[in-house]
Amino acid sequence: PLRVLNKTRFITPSIMHYVRNHGACPKLEWDTDTLLVGGDVPRPMELTMDEIASTLPAREIPVTLVCDGNRRKEQNMLRQTVGFNWGAAGVGTNVYKGPTVRDVLLRAGISSDPATWRGFHVEFIGIEDLPNKIGPGPFEKKWGDKVKYGTSVPLARAMNPAYDVMLAYQANGQFLQPDHGYPLRLIIPGYIGGRMIKWIKELNVIPHMTENHYHYHDNRILPPHITAESAIQLGTWYKPEYIFNELNINSAITQPDHNETIEIQPNIGKEYELAGYSYTGGGRMITRVEITTNAGINWHTCELHRFEQPTDYGMYWCWIWWSFRIPIVDLISTDEIWARAWDESNNTQPFRPTWNLMGMGNNQCFRVKVHKSL
Amino acid sequence: PLRVLNKTRFITPSIMHYVRNHGACPKLEWDTDTLLVGGDVPRPMELTMDEIASTLPAREIPVTLVCDGNRRKEQNMLRQTVGFNWGAAGVGTNVYKGPTVRDVLLRAGISSDPATWRGFHVEFIGIEDLPNKIGPGPFEKKWGDKVKYGTSVPLARAMNPAYDVMLAYQANGQFLQPDHGYPLRLIIPGYIGGRMIKWIKELNVIPHMTENHYHYHDNRILPPHITAESAIQLGTWYKPEYIFNELNINSAITQPDHNETIEIQPNIGKEYELAGYSYTGGGRMITRVEITTNAGINWHTCELHRFEQPTDYGMYWCWIWWSFRIPIVDLISTDEIWARAWDESNNTQPFRPTWNLMGMGNNQCFRVKVHKSL
């Protein structure tokens, strides 16, 4: 819940980190689990966990993970999506440790010359057998077939050292929790959590985007007029432009808490501290967070609490926390408090939501209602 | 004007490319002009144009340049900014050719190891002497002093081969026009045009952001409550978070043209083709363009005309053009046509503008009014 995130702020205890799995958590052992590296690589390999942890250089960085459905509840209030409700707490930050996918691929013989990457993708596949819930698409999966959870990213993304795509075996200095992908999980900083395959079993270099069922039938933002029926009729699931990979900019107010009360009379000369988080995708820095108490006519600039240092490549992979001290007397004339962030591309959060079938990427200005009683 | 851009679409003839200079165009000669490479580099150099063109590998790619004040006219209609009016035609695309800044810096002895880049910036300085129009800041420029036009980017950005920061001596297969920076101009794909120094004379590696007057007093997006007076009083010009570097997402409708008329009666069964451009910053792909004829209640998905191939690193540095065939009968009930784009981060254009003192980065949904007469 938001009150926990508000308490722990920058680094989320692993035990408090949100969990979203598509099936039951598999029981895997460090000593017997392996990673298969295959496809169009000169040297296919099967790596044990000991080999991954002891023979490849490790990277250790904090990364904010966000469920694609963070704040989906608000979309469901407009019109039911195909997804269940999430509030604004589908997000957390851990310090992840593990080798980069680049280093794994270099060992498998992939060239470091970008001209050789064009057209190729790296496919990542988890270990679980999951139901194919949508049914047949163009890739010959039969209705009811069991499928693996998987995705792919362009080889150029995985090989670009600036992006820190990595295979994590530790979070916050400890081995992963089973629910977070023990023993090995894919981390793609700046992407949605739904692409960060847990219990990862296979990594293949392939000459096209993966045909994995979940790559196409999950983690998509479709145009607002597309319904469950028309998406199937029109083949919209298979259009690459509607993939949801890189996070859009978002914020939430975590203080005040839900149903928190403030007595006006004894505090009339004091200030109340509003607080919350903001994040964005692609390694961009959050540059500004603003709140408004009059629906966007005036905006106040919040104080930013930036805990993260950028990487050597200048990337920011974590949320920031912000605060704003509002005079309590101002709350008397306030019906709603809104928050929005800006990033270094000068993109910001929209005023209004755009409904989409999966209810993903919901990021309009976060609003808290203020109720007054005598 | 927009009608020219609409006619030439993807590649803008150099002679038609928008021009925004801060002073008179200097008269420089290929044979005598040189570039000084200095600051904290192991091997300072003075390069002639012949050396730049013949001894360094050349990169040749199309890049869309956008004036920071593109669409500023709409901001000035809300409240006068410190900038003059631009419509939506402050944008153009040329194929630029020249060495990357990375290759120049490698020759000057800068390491390719990212760990050595941290904290450093590359300062770029033009040749002209320009008036210091704002007055003294913290960097000891006296009121009325002549200053150079300059900027800096993080060394990590300049050295990252994915970003294609380059020194161009050709556009569209010909030497640069004098007004576009002959003989040498900085190109930073995905950034605003205002950072792409023309008639570039110096390139320095320095251990901090540049203190150049124009780096601080120009090309900024300040929070909406900041005025010309308070910006000076509060020192807002010097806050690094308000720099405008990476372009935000934007679109314009270029067809219909201003004051274009359509006779309804004889065309009632036909369609009219709407068209326009969209661009975004940071190498992100435009994934979707939509139009609405009812102020955002319904959106129609446009057809995208993508001419550019992504780079080896998967970057998109150019605008796309789009079209939508609307039944002419629908125009009868239409008061305004709006357009907005989405990029691969699922960021989109806001409904409403956010005024800012310099009137930069204006990118709310582009609106065309439809006037009907009997």
Side-chain angles (χ1 to χ4, degrees), chain A residues 167-179:
Chain A
L167 300 171
Y169 49 81
Q170 278 195 13
N172 294 349
Q174 301 190 302
F175 291 119
L176 295 179
Q177 307 269 336
D179 254 338

Side-chain angles (χ1 to χ4, degrees), chain A residues 19-80:
Chain A
V19 173
R20 166 72 177 111
N21 299 331
H22 286 76
C25 172
K27 188 166 164 54
L28 301 174
E29 303 289 344
W30 181 275
D31 289 341
T32 53
D33 196 46
T34 60
L35 176 73
L36 299 165
V37 180
D40 292 338
V41 298
R43 289 188 292 278
M45 309 181 292
E46 180 168 13
L47 295 168
T48 66
M49 285 307 304
D50 276 343
E51 284 172 327
I52 289 169
S54 65
T55 71
L56 286 158
R59 183 124 175 84
E60 185 165 21
I61 49 170
V63 179
T64 295
L65 267 59
V66 183
C67 178
D68 347 9
N70 192 33
R71 299 184 61 190
R72 187 194 279 132
K73 182 181 174 187
E74 299 160 58
Q75 292 252 319
N76 283 343
M77 287 166 77
L78 292 175
R79 180 179 174 186
Q80 182 61 41

Side-chain angles (χ1 to χ4, degrees), chain B residues 95-373:
Chain B
V95 179
Y96 291 98
K97 181 178 178 182
T100 63
V101 171
R102 176 184 163 90
D103 282 334
V104 172
L105 291 174
L106 288 174
R107 178 172 295 185
I110 293 294
S111 164
S112 62
D113 174 8
T116 65
W117 302 339
R118 186 174 282 273
F120 285 93
H121 293 252
V122 188
E123 176 182 63
F124 301 95
I125 306 178
I127 204 167
E128 329 114 271
D129 289 306
L130 302 170
N132 165 355
K133 278 183 285 195
I134 304 286
F139 303 132
E140 311 217 20
K141 280 284 166 198
K142 288 205 204 75
W143 188 283
D145 273 3
K146 293 285 183 181
V147 293
K148 303 288 185 185
Y149 192 77
T151 193
S152 65
V153 302
L155 181 57
R157 180 111 194 172
M159 287 299 290
N160 188 332
Y163 286 128
D164 291 318
V165 181
M166 58 197 275
L167 300 171
Y169 49 80
Q170 278 194 12
N172 294 350
Q174 301 191 302
F175 291 118
L176 294 178
Q177 307 270 336
D179 255 336
H180 294 297
Y182 179 85
L184 197 63
R185 172 183 202 167
L186 176 64
I187 298 290
I188 315 175
Y191 265 35
I192 56 167
R195 302 290 174 201
M196 305 199 199
I197 314 296
K198 297 174 178 176
W199 314 295
I200 187 167
K201 186 62 195 171
E202 282 186 50
L203 184 165
N204 299 310
V205 175
I206 55 176
H208 52 77
M209 203 176 269
T210 180
E211 295 174 355
N212 184 280
H213 175 85
Y214 281 92
H215 184 74
Y216 280 96
H217 284 286
D218 206 343
N219 307 309
R220 303 241 137 202
I221 296 184
L222 307 183
H225 63 282
I226 300 287
T227 62
E229 296 71 34
S230 66
I232 291 176
Q233 282 159 17
L234 301 169
T236 319
W237 294 111
Y238 303 98
K239 297 203 173 159
E241 62 266 37
Y242 300 140
I243 198 164
F244 188 22
N245 277 337
E246 205 165 90
L247 287 166
N248 54 6
I249 186 167
N250 210 342
S251 301
I253 298 172
T254 60
Q255 198 169 286
D257 198 2
H258 193 58
N259 281 342
E260 186 174 324
T261 58
I262 302 170
E263 275 195 89
I264 298 287
Q265 190 66 30
N267 297 303
I268 194 73
K270 299 183 190 155
E271 292 177 321
Y272 177 81
E273 187 171 79
L274 298 166
Y277 69 73
S278 299
Y279 61 74
T280 189
R284 291 183 288 284
M285 181 173 58
I286 294 286
T287 52
R288 192 164 125 205
V289 179
E290 297 169 323
I291 67 114
T292 179
T293 57
N294 58 11
I297 298 170
N298 303 105
W299 292 93
H300 302 278
T301 310
C302 300
E303 193 180 343
L304 305 191
H305 310 287
R306 196 187 303 285
F307 300 91
E308 177 191 24
Q309 291 292 319
T311 68
D312 287 342
Y313 285 93
M315 297 293 180
Y316 292 83
W317 299 131
C318 295
W319 56 10
I320 58 117
W321 285 77
W322 53 265
S323 61
F324 182 76
R325 298 190 69 82
I326 190 167
I328 283 173
V329 68
D330 287 358
L331 291 173
I332 298 172
S333 56
T334 299
D335 292 319
E336 285 191 354
I337 304 167
W338 301 6
R340 70 174 179 188
W342 296 75
D343 69 17
E344 63 180 287
S345 287
N346 276 288
N347 286 314
T348 189
Q349 300 175 234
F351 274 38
R352 295 198 214 169
T354 297
W355 186 89
N356 65 89
L357 180 60
M358 301 202 78
M360 289 176 168
N362 193 49
N363 77 331
Q364 69 277 0
C365 298
F366 193 91
R367 301 182 184 196
V368 167
K369 293 256 181 213
V370 181
H371 300 284
K372 281 149 278 191
S373 56

